Amino acid sequence: MLEADPAARPSADDFLAIIRRQQAGKLKLYLGPCPGVGKTYSMLVEGNRLKKRGVDVVIGYVEPHERPETSAQIGDLEIVPPRLTSYHGIALNEMDVDAVIARHPTVALVDELAHTNAPDSKNRKRYEDVEDLLRAGISVISTVNIQHLESLYNLVEEATGVRVKERVPDEVLTKADQIVNIDLPAEDLQERLQAGKIYPKERIEAALVNFFTQKNLTRLREMTLTETANFLDRKQRDSESDQNVSSLGQVMVAISSQGPDPGRLLRKTARLASQLNAQWYAVYVRTPAESAVHIDAEAQRRVNDTLETAQKMGGLVFSMKGESVAKALVSFAREYGITHIVVGRPGRKRLRHYFRSTLHEVLLQELPEVDLVVV
């Protein structure tokens, strides 16, 4: 008998959240492949345009990076004074979320969505500040670079060699009402960098050698265009259907306490679900061998962290009990109409298990109509 986690069942609070979302503000994102393409500039231009049309617009937070063209666009826009704080003796400015909510404009301009706030802030991340504004009924225009998207972490590292620390859950972009791709050819970006329009002079040479290479910029532009296209495709499908989830499929990822890189599995699953406009599920099967008496605390912590991350990335989490992982996953897949399953690459068979079927073999045999993705 399989037991789904009761927390995964819809509750009265879930329906209340749906009702409240109808009163929430709208989110527009300027998405770019890297710094310097003009996201902040475009956000401010739109803010000024809205102000001229009589819309109540304020700057919740803007980071002009000492770029004259960008600073000039602030113009007559009202700025809600930032909250001053200190960290390790360094003075910092952070958006004053409560002050913006108290001012309650129609639209707030909030730069750098992936920013990590100072430790004494109300929220850990700026995207959480933005979510507070949206819940308060304030529409937000914000900016973000493609490398900050959670599900692209591994792809960005492989393509550029850079490990991005500040990341935004895919769900934030998925729930956006509009996304605008701000793009520039790689050659133009390198020219802007060399002209001192992106970084100070002392950082230019290192940036050209490391991040702002032709190869890196081209790959990041491709990722941005792909993500924008996926977003537009999802919006088109939603407008053609009364359902929130596309009929193209349902995606499931199998979580293990011994997997080598659960983060990679989750990101691959989130990307696949996004491309299919599908709901995705993170499923962990606790067998008797992984009961509290048999599994060590470190392995249990790993599982909990993975499931928590899956939730943050927009997946529905199921923790189940079963005698066999394979049988439990097959049963779940049939019950929920799963069309795509993501699993980790199998390790070497141990001699004593040589004649047993692997998880992958059982899934392929029992679910021939399901696409199996091995990461």
PDB file of all heavy atoms in Angstrom, residues 38-52 57-59 62 64 67-79 109:
ATOM      1  N   GLY A  38      21.268  46.377 -21.265  1.00  0.00           N
ATOM      2  CA  GLY A  38      20.297  47.465 -21.213  1.00  0.00           C
ATOM      3  C   GLY A  38      18.998  47.145 -20.510  1.00  0.00           C
ATOM      4  O   GLY A  38      17.980  47.802 -20.760  1.00  0.00           O
ATOM      5  N   LYS A  39      18.991  46.175 -19.603  1.00  0.00           N
ATOM      6  CA  LYS A  39      17.762  45.791 -18.906  1.00  0.00           C
ATOM      7  C   LYS A  39      17.264  46.914 -17.992  1.00  0.00           C
ATOM      8  O   LYS A  39      16.091  47.281 -18.016  1.00  0.00           O
ATOM      9  CB  LYS A  39      17.996  44.512 -18.086  1.00  0.00           C
ATOM     10  CG  LYS A  39      18.417  43.305 -18.890  1.00  0.00           C
ATOM     11  CD  LYS A  39      18.644  42.098 -18.014  1.00  0.00           C
ATOM     12  CE  LYS A  39      19.675  42.323 -16.939  1.00  0.00           C
ATOM     13  NZ  LYS A  39      21.025  42.680 -17.475  1.00  0.00           N
ATOM     14  N   THR A  40      18.171  47.432 -17.147  1.00  0.00           N
ATOM     15  CA  THR A  40      17.778  48.493 -16.221  1.00  0.00           C
ATOM     16  C   THR A  40      17.347  49.741 -16.988  1.00  0.00           C
ATOM     17  O   THR A  40      16.353  50.398 -16.637  1.00  0.00           O
ATOM     18  CB  THR A  40      18.947  48.828 -15.275  1.00  0.00           C
ATOM     19  OG1 THR A  40      19.336  47.643 -14.573  1.00  0.00           O
ATOM     20  CG2 THR A  40      18.548  49.894 -14.262  1.00  0.00           C
ATOM     21  N   TYR A  41      18.089  50.075 -18.036  1.00  0.00           N
ATOM     22  CA  TYR A  41      17.753  51.222 -18.876  1.00  0.00           C
ATOM     23  C   TYR A  41      16.339  51.067 -19.441  1.00  0.00           C
ATOM     24  O   TYR A  41      15.517  51.993 -19.374  1.00  0.00           O
ATOM     25  CB  TYR A  41      18.770  51.327 -20.012  1.00  0.00           C
ATOM     26  CG  TYR A  41      18.537  52.466 -20.980  1.00  0.00           C
ATOM     27  CD1 TYR A  41      19.077  53.725 -20.741  1.00  0.00           C
ATOM     28  CD2 TYR A  41      17.777  52.276 -22.131  1.00  0.00           C
ATOM     29  CE1 TYR A  41      18.863  54.777 -21.628  1.00  0.00           C
ATOM     30  CE2 TYR A  41      17.551  53.313 -23.014  1.00  0.00           C
ATOM     31  CZ  TYR A  41      18.095  54.558 -22.765  1.00  0.00           C
ATOM     32  OH  TYR A  41      17.883  55.592 -23.637  1.00  0.00           O
ATOM     33  N   SER A  42      16.039  49.890 -19.980  1.00  0.00           N
ATOM     34  CA  SER A  42      14.710  49.641 -20.564  1.00  0.00           C
ATOM     35  C   SER A  42      13.620  49.716 -19.515  1.00  0.00           C
ATOM     36  O   SER A  42      12.528  50.229 -19.779  1.00  0.00           O
ATOM     37  CB  SER A  42      14.689  48.271 -21.241  1.00  0.00           C
ATOM     38  OG  SER A  42      15.641  48.195 -22.282  1.00  0.00           O
ATOM     39  N   MET A  43      13.901  49.203 -18.303  1.00  0.00           N
ATOM     40  CA  MET A  43      12.922  49.252 -17.215  1.00  0.00           C
ATOM     41  C   MET A  43      12.597  50.702 -16.855  1.00  0.00           C
ATOM     42  O   MET A  43      11.433  51.067 -16.675  1.00  0.00           O
ATOM     43  CB  MET A  43      13.468  48.516 -15.988  1.00  0.00           C
ATOM     44  CG  MET A  43      12.560  48.560 -14.761  1.00  0.00           C
ATOM     45  SD  MET A  43      13.330  47.809 -13.297  1.00  0.00           S
ATOM     46  CE  MET A  43      14.577  49.054 -12.903  1.00  0.00           C
ATOM     47  N   LEU A  44      13.627  51.550 -16.786  1.00  0.00           N
ATOM     48  CA  LEU A  44      13.414  52.946 -16.437  1.00  0.00           C
ATOM     49  C   LEU A  44      12.705  53.707 -17.549  1.00  0.00           C
ATOM     50  O   LEU A  44      11.861  54.574 -17.288  1.00  0.00           O
ATOM     51  CB  LEU A  44      14.761  53.606 -16.118  1.00  0.00           C
ATOM     52  CG  LEU A  44      15.445  53.115 -14.828  1.00  0.00           C
ATOM     53  CD1 LEU A  44      16.864  53.651 -14.743  1.00  0.00           C
ATOM     54  CD2 LEU A  44      14.641  53.517 -13.601  1.00  0.00           C
ATOM     55  N   VAL A  45      13.044  53.404 -18.801  1.00  0.00           N
ATOM     56  CA  VAL A  45      12.355  54.033 -19.933  1.00  0.00           C
ATOM     57  C   VAL A  45      10.861  53.733 -19.861  1.00  0.00           C
ATOM     58  O   VAL A  45      10.014  54.614 -20.045  1.00  0.00           O
ATOM     59  CB  VAL A  45      12.948  53.539 -21.275  1.00  0.00           C
ATOM     60  CG1 VAL A  45      12.035  53.922 -22.443  1.00  0.00           C
ATOM     61  CG2 VAL A  45      14.336  54.120 -21.492  1.00  0.00           C
ATOM     62  N   GLU A  46      10.522  52.468 -19.565  1.00  0.00           N
ATOM     63  CA  GLU A  46       9.114  52.113 -19.467  1.00  0.00           C
ATOM     64  C   GLU A  46       8.461  52.816 -18.278  1.00  0.00           C
ATOM     65  O   GLU A  46       7.313  53.267 -18.363  1.00  0.00           O
ATOM     66  CB  GLU A  46       8.933  50.602 -19.334  1.00  0.00           C
ATOM     67  CG  GLU A  46       7.472  50.214 -19.212  1.00  0.00           C
ATOM     68  CD  GLU A  46       7.205  48.724 -19.361  1.00  0.00           C
ATOM     69  OE1 GLU A  46       8.167  47.962 -19.536  1.00  0.00           O
ATOM     70  OE2 GLU A  46       6.027  48.350 -19.303  1.00  0.00           O
ATOM     71  N   GLY A  47       9.189  52.931 -17.162  1.00  0.00           N
ATOM     72  CA  GLY A  47       8.656  53.632 -16.005  1.00  0.00           C
ATOM     73  C   GLY A  47       8.303  55.084 -16.339  1.00  0.00           C
ATOM     74  O   GLY A  47       7.238  55.579 -15.957  1.00  0.00           O
ATOM     75  N   ASN A  48       9.194  55.754 -17.057  1.00  0.00           N
ATOM     76  CA  ASN A  48       8.928  57.135 -17.465  1.00  0.00           C
ATOM     77  C   ASN A  48       7.749  57.219 -18.425  1.00  0.00           C
ATOM     78  O   ASN A  48       6.933  58.144 -18.349  1.00  0.00           O
ATOM     79  CB  ASN A  48      10.177  57.735 -18.116  1.00  0.00           C
ATOM     80  CG  ASN A  48      11.182  58.234 -17.089  1.00  0.00           C
ATOM     81  OD1 ASN A  48      10.899  59.149 -16.335  1.00  0.00           O
ATOM     82  ND2 ASN A  48      12.349  57.613 -17.052  1.00  0.00           N
ATOM     83  N   ARG A  49       7.661  56.248 -19.319  1.00  0.00           N
ATOM     84  CA  ARG A  49       6.549  56.236 -20.275  1.00  0.00           C
ATOM     85  C   ARG A  49       5.216  56.056 -19.548  1.00  0.00           C
ATOM     86  O   ARG A  49       4.225  56.733 -19.860  1.00  0.00           O
ATOM     87  CB  ARG A  49       6.768  55.118 -21.296  1.00  0.00           C
ATOM     88  CG  ARG A  49       5.777  55.144 -22.448  1.00  0.00           C
ATOM     89  CD  ARG A  49       6.218  54.248 -23.583  1.00  0.00           C
ATOM     90  NE  ARG A  49       6.267  52.843 -23.187  1.00  0.00           N
ATOM     91  CZ  ARG A  49       7.403  52.154 -23.136  1.00  0.00           C
ATOM     92  NH1 ARG A  49       8.572  52.734 -23.423  1.00  0.00           N
ATOM     93  NH2 ARG A  49       7.390  50.876 -22.797  1.00  0.00           N
ATOM     94  N   LEU A  50       5.191  55.160 -18.553  1.00  0.00           N
ATOM     95  CA  LEU A  50       3.966  54.941 -17.781  1.00  0.00           C
ATOM     96  C   LEU A  50       3.601  56.195 -16.982  1.00  0.00           C
ATOM     97  O   LEU A  50       2.425  56.566 -16.883  1.00  0.00           O
ATOM     98  CB  LEU A  50       4.139  53.742 -16.846  1.00  0.00           C
ATOM     99  CG  LEU A  50       4.234  52.369 -17.515  1.00  0.00           C
ATOM    100  CD1 LEU A  50       4.615  51.307 -16.493  1.00  0.00           C
ATOM    101  CD2 LEU A  50       2.912  51.991 -18.180  1.00  0.00           C
ATOM    102  N   LYS A  51       4.605  56.835 -16.410  1.00  0.00           N
ATOM    103  CA  LYS A  51       4.364  58.050 -15.607  1.00  0.00           C
ATOM    104  C   LYS A  51       3.722  59.143 -16.471  1.00  0.00           C
ATOM    105  O   LYS A  51       2.781  59.830 -16.042  1.00  0.00           O
ATOM    106  CB  LYS A  51       5.674  58.538 -15.006  1.00  0.00           C
ATOM    107  CG  LYS A  51       5.543  59.800 -14.156  1.00  0.00           C
ATOM    108  CD  LYS A  51       6.893  60.212 -13.603  1.00  0.00           C
ATOM    109  CE  LYS A  51       6.811  61.560 -12.896  1.00  0.00           C
ATOM    110  NZ  LYS A  51       5.989  61.506 -11.689  1.00  0.00           N
ATOM    111  N   LYS A  52       4.223  59.288 -17.703  1.00  0.00           N
ATOM    112  CA  LYS A  52       3.667  60.298 -18.607  1.00  0.00           C
ATOM    113  C   LYS A  52       2.218  60.006 -18.972  1.00  0.00           C
ATOM    114  O   LYS A  52       1.463  60.909 -19.346  1.00  0.00           O
ATOM    115  CB  LYS A  52       4.518  60.381 -19.875  1.00  0.00           C
ATOM    116  CG  LYS A  52       5.880  61.025 -19.652  1.00  0.00           C
ATOM    117  CD  LYS A  52       6.709  61.026 -20.930  1.00  0.00           C
ATOM    118  CE  LYS A  52       8.097  61.638 -20.670  1.00  0.00           C
ATOM    119  NZ  LYS A  52       8.947  61.587 -21.886  1.00  0.00           N
ATOM    120  N   VAL A  57       3.851  55.476 -10.646  1.00  0.00           N
ATOM    121  CA  VAL A  57       5.051  54.637 -10.708  1.00  0.00           C
ATOM    122  C   VAL A  57       6.086  55.133  -9.708  1.00  0.00           C
ATOM    123  O   VAL A  57       6.304  56.347  -9.602  1.00  0.00           O
ATOM    124  CB  VAL A  57       5.670  54.659 -12.123  1.00  0.00           C
ATOM    125  CG1 VAL A  57       6.881  53.724 -12.188  1.00  0.00           C
ATOM    126  CG2 VAL A  57       4.649  54.264 -13.164  1.00  0.00           C
ATOM    127  N   VAL A  58       6.732  54.198  -8.995  1.00  0.00           N
ATOM    128  CA  VAL A  58       7.853  54.570  -8.126  1.00  0.00           C
ATOM    129  C   VAL A  58       9.012  53.615  -8.381  1.00  0.00           C
ATOM    130  O   VAL A  58       8.829  52.518  -8.917  1.00  0.00           O
ATOM    131  CB  VAL A  58       7.482  54.510  -6.623  1.00  0.00           C
ATOM    132  CG1 VAL A  58       6.287  55.392  -6.321  1.00  0.00           C
ATOM    133  CG2 VAL A  58       7.252  53.065  -6.169  1.00  0.00           C
ATOM    134  N   ILE A  59      10.187  54.050  -8.005  1.00  0.00           N
ATOM    135  CA  ILE A  59      11.362  53.173  -8.027  1.00  0.00           C
ATOM    136  C   ILE A  59      11.493  52.541  -6.647  1.00  0.00           C
ATOM    137  O   ILE A  59      11.751  53.232  -5.654  1.00  0.00           O
ATOM    138  CB  ILE A  59      12.639  53.959  -8.376  1.00  0.00           C
ATOM    139  CG1 ILE A  59      12.581  54.450  -9.824  1.00  0.00           C
ATOM    140  CG2 ILE A  59      13.876  53.101  -8.154  1.00  0.00           C
ATOM    141  CD1 ILE A  59      13.772  55.301 -10.235  1.00  0.00           C
ATOM    142  N   VAL A  62      16.785  50.671  -7.651  1.00  0.00           N
ATOM    143  CA  VAL A  62      17.463  50.661  -8.941  1.00  0.00           C
ATOM    144  C   VAL A  62      18.962  50.712  -8.699  1.00  0.00           C
ATOM    145  O   VAL A  62      19.435  51.367  -7.765  1.00  0.00           O
ATOM    146  CB  VAL A  62      17.017  51.846  -9.839  1.00  0.00           C
ATOM    147  CG1 VAL A  62      17.467  53.177  -9.253  1.00  0.00           C
ATOM    148  CG2 VAL A  62      17.541  51.685 -11.263  1.00  0.00           C
ATOM    149  N   PRO A  64      22.006  51.774 -10.935  1.00  0.00           N
ATOM    150  CA  PRO A  64      22.464  52.282 -12.231  1.00  0.00           C
ATOM    151  C   PRO A  64      23.895  51.915 -12.577  1.00  0.00           C
ATOM    152  O   PRO A  64      24.329  52.081 -13.712  1.00  0.00           O
ATOM    153  CB  PRO A  64      22.318  53.797 -12.076  1.00  0.00           C
ATOM    154  CG  PRO A  64      22.423  54.046 -10.611  1.00  0.00           C
ATOM    155  CD  PRO A  64      21.839  52.834  -9.940  1.00  0.00           C
ATOM    156  N   ARG A  67      26.360  54.114 -14.671  1.00  0.00           N
ATOM    157  CA  ARG A  67      26.273  54.251 -16.118  1.00  0.00           C
ATOM    158  C   ARG A  67      25.443  55.502 -16.417  1.00  0.00           C
ATOM    159  O   ARG A  67      24.247  55.538 -16.096  1.00  0.00           O
ATOM    160  CB  ARG A  67      25.628  53.004 -16.730  1.00  0.00           C
ATOM    161  CG  ARG A  67      26.456  51.735 -16.499  1.00  0.00           C
ATOM    162  CD  ARG A  67      25.699  50.475 -16.840  1.00  0.00           C
ATOM    163  NE  ARG A  67      26.461  49.303 -16.417  1.00  0.00           N
ATOM    164  CZ  ARG A  67      25.923  48.107 -16.197  1.00  0.00           C
ATOM    165  NH1 ARG A  67      24.620  47.921 -16.362  1.00  0.00           N
ATOM    166  NH2 ARG A  67      26.675  47.088 -15.825  1.00  0.00           N
ATOM    167  N   PRO A  68      26.047  56.517 -17.031  1.00  0.00           N
ATOM    168  CA  PRO A  68      25.372  57.807 -17.219  1.00  0.00           C
ATOM    169  C   PRO A  68      24.031  57.706 -17.935  1.00  0.00           C
ATOM    170  O   PRO A  68      23.059  58.346 -17.526  1.00  0.00           O
ATOM    171  CB  PRO A  68      26.389  58.605 -18.062  1.00  0.00           C
ATOM    172  CG  PRO A  68      27.709  57.983 -17.754  1.00  0.00           C
ATOM    173  CD  PRO A  68      27.424  56.534 -17.535  1.00  0.00           C
ATOM    174  N   GLU A  69      23.971  56.891 -19.005  1.00  0.00           N
ATOM    175  CA  GLU A  69      22.713  56.784 -19.755  1.00  0.00           C
ATOM    176  C   GLU A  69      21.593  56.229 -18.877  1.00  0.00           C
ATOM    177  O   GLU A  69      20.440  56.675 -18.949  1.00  0.00           O
ATOM    178  CB  GLU A  69      22.892  55.879 -20.989  1.00  0.00           C
ATOM    179  CG  GLU A  69      23.961  56.346 -21.962  1.00  0.00           C
ATOM    180  CD  GLU A  69      25.294  55.672 -21.706  1.00  0.00           C
ATOM    181  OE1 GLU A  69      25.553  55.271 -20.538  1.00  0.00           O
ATOM    182  OE2 GLU A  69      26.087  55.551 -22.654  1.00  0.00           O
ATOM    183  N   THR A  70      21.958  55.254 -18.037  1.00  0.00           N
ATOM    184  CA  THR A  70      20.962  54.649 -17.145  1.00  0.00           C
ATOM    185  C   THR A  70      20.539  55.639 -16.058  1.00  0.00           C
ATOM    186  O   THR A  70      19.348  55.816 -15.779  1.00  0.00           O
ATOM    187  CB  THR A  70      21.521  53.370 -16.495  1.00  0.00           C
ATOM    188  OG1 THR A  70      21.899  52.443 -17.529  1.00  0.00           O
ATOM    189  CG2 THR A  70      20.483  52.714 -15.611  1.00  0.00           C
ATOM    190  N   SER A  71      21.513  56.298 -15.439  1.00  0.00           N
ATOM    191  CA  SER A  71      21.202  57.263 -14.373  1.00  0.00           C
ATOM    192  C   SER A  71      20.308  58.380 -14.892  1.00  0.00           C
ATOM    193  O   SER A  71      19.415  58.861 -14.174  1.00  0.00           O
ATOM    194  CB  SER A  71      22.494  57.855 -13.808  1.00  0.00           C
ATOM    195  OG  SER A  71      23.287  56.839 -13.217  1.00  0.00           O
ATOM    196  N   ALA A  72      20.521  58.799 -16.145  1.00  0.00           N
ATOM    197  CA  ALA A  72      19.728  59.884 -16.725  1.00  0.00           C
ATOM    198  C   ALA A  72      18.261  59.505 -16.842  1.00  0.00           C
ATOM    199  O   ALA A  72      17.377  60.370 -16.791  1.00  0.00           O
ATOM    200  CB  ALA A  72      20.289  60.266 -18.094  1.00  0.00           C
ATOM    201  N   GLN A  73      17.979  58.201 -16.996  1.00  0.00           N
ATOM    202  CA  GLN A  73      16.600  57.744 -17.167  1.00  0.00           C
ATOM    203  C   GLN A  73      15.805  57.759 -15.862  1.00  0.00           C
ATOM    204  O   GLN A  73      14.592  57.632 -15.880  1.00  0.00           O
ATOM    205  CB  GLN A  73      16.575  56.341 -17.783  1.00  0.00           C
ATOM    206  CG  GLN A  73      16.875  56.311 -19.259  1.00  0.00           C
ATOM    207  CD  GLN A  73      15.903  57.158 -20.060  1.00  0.00           C
ATOM    208  OE1 GLN A  73      14.702  57.168 -19.795  1.00  0.00           O
ATOM    209  NE2 GLN A  73      16.432  57.878 -21.039  1.00  0.00           N
ATOM    210  N   ILE A  74      16.503  57.900 -14.733  1.00  0.00           N
ATOM    211  CA  ILE A  74      15.776  57.998 -13.455  1.00  0.00           C
ATOM    212  C   ILE A  74      14.908  59.243 -13.468  1.00  0.00           C
ATOM    213  O   ILE A  74      13.752  59.222 -13.032  1.00  0.00           O
ATOM    214  CB  ILE A  74      16.756  58.005 -12.267  1.00  0.00           C
ATOM    215  CG1 ILE A  74      17.464  56.643 -12.177  1.00  0.00           C
ATOM    216  CG2 ILE A  74      16.025  58.311 -10.958  1.00  0.00           C
ATOM    217  CD1 ILE A  74      18.535  56.565 -11.101  1.00  0.00           C
ATOM    218  N   GLY A  75      15.484  60.322 -14.022  1.00  0.00           N
ATOM    219  CA  GLY A  75      14.709  61.543 -14.260  1.00  0.00           C
ATOM    220  C   GLY A  75      13.873  61.983 -13.076  1.00  0.00           C
ATOM    221  O   GLY A  75      14.366  62.140 -11.953  1.00  0.00           O
ATOM    222  N   ASP A  76      12.574  62.174 -13.343  1.00  0.00           N
ATOM    223  CA  ASP A  76      11.650  62.660 -12.315  1.00  0.00           C
ATOM    224  C   ASP A  76      10.900  61.531 -11.614  1.00  0.00           C
ATOM    225  O   ASP A  76       9.939  61.788 -10.882  1.00  0.00           O
ATOM    226  CB  ASP A  76      10.625  63.618 -12.946  1.00  0.00           C
ATOM    227  CG  ASP A  76      11.289  64.867 -13.510  1.00  0.00           C
ATOM    228  OD1 ASP A  76      12.301  65.305 -12.924  1.00  0.00           O
ATOM    229  OD2 ASP A  76      10.800  65.386 -14.530  1.00  0.00           O
ATOM    230  N   LEU A  77      11.324  60.304 -11.828  1.00  0.00           N
ATOM    231  CA  LEU A  77      10.634  59.187 -11.185  1.00  0.00           C
ATOM    232  C   LEU A  77      10.818  59.254  -9.664  1.00  0.00           C
ATOM    233  O   LEU A  77      11.927  59.489  -9.167  1.00  0.00           O
ATOM    234  CB  LEU A  77      11.164  57.849 -11.707  1.00  0.00           C
ATOM    235  CG  LEU A  77      10.787  57.485 -13.148  1.00  0.00           C
ATOM    236  CD1 LEU A  77      11.573  56.259 -13.613  1.00  0.00           C
ATOM    237  CD2 LEU A  77       9.282  57.213 -13.266  1.00  0.00           C
ATOM    238  N   GLU A  78       9.737  59.037  -8.946  1.00  0.00           N
ATOM    239  CA  GLU A  78       9.799  59.044  -7.483  1.00  0.00           C
ATOM    240  C   GLU A  78      10.563  57.814  -6.997  1.00  0.00           C
ATOM    241  O   GLU A  78      10.351  56.698  -7.470  1.00  0.00           O
ATOM    242  CB  GLU A  78       8.382  59.025  -6.899  1.00  0.00           C
ATOM    243  CG  GLU A  78       8.355  58.962  -5.382  1.00  0.00           C
ATOM    244  CD  GLU A  78       6.948  58.806  -4.824  1.00  0.00           C
ATOM    245  OE1 GLU A  78       5.977  59.059  -5.573  1.00  0.00           O
ATOM    246  OE2 GLU A  78       6.820  58.423  -3.646  1.00  0.00           O
ATOM    247  N   ILE A  79      11.469  58.032  -6.047  1.00  0.00           N
ATOM    248  CA  ILE A  79      12.256  56.941  -5.468  1.00  0.00           C
ATOM    249  C   ILE A  79      11.836  56.738  -4.016  1.00  0.00           C
ATOM    250  O   ILE A  79      11.886  57.685  -3.218  1.00  0.00           O
ATOM    251  CB  ILE A  79      13.767  57.236  -5.525  1.00  0.00           C
ATOM    252  CG1 ILE A  79      14.223  57.455  -6.974  1.00  0.00           C
ATOM    253  CG2 ILE A  79      14.555  56.111  -4.874  1.00  0.00           C
ATOM    254  CD1 ILE A  79      15.682  57.865  -7.087  1.00  0.00           C
ATOM    255  N   LEU A 109       9.263  49.768  -9.755  1.00  0.00           N
ATOM    256  CA  LEU A 109      10.411  49.302 -10.535  1.00  0.00           C
ATOM    257  C   LEU A 109      11.438  48.740  -9.563  1.00  0.00           C
ATOM    258  O   LEU A 109      11.893  49.437  -8.649  1.00  0.00           O
ATOM    259  CB  LEU A 109      11.014  50.455 -11.335  1.00  0.00           C
ATOM    260  CG  LEU A 109      10.050  51.304 -12.178  1.00  0.00           C
ATOM    261  CD1 LEU A 109      10.813  52.395 -12.918  1.00  0.00           C
ATOM    262  CD2 LEU A 109       9.268  50.428 -13.147  1.00  0.00           C
TER     263      LEU A 109
END
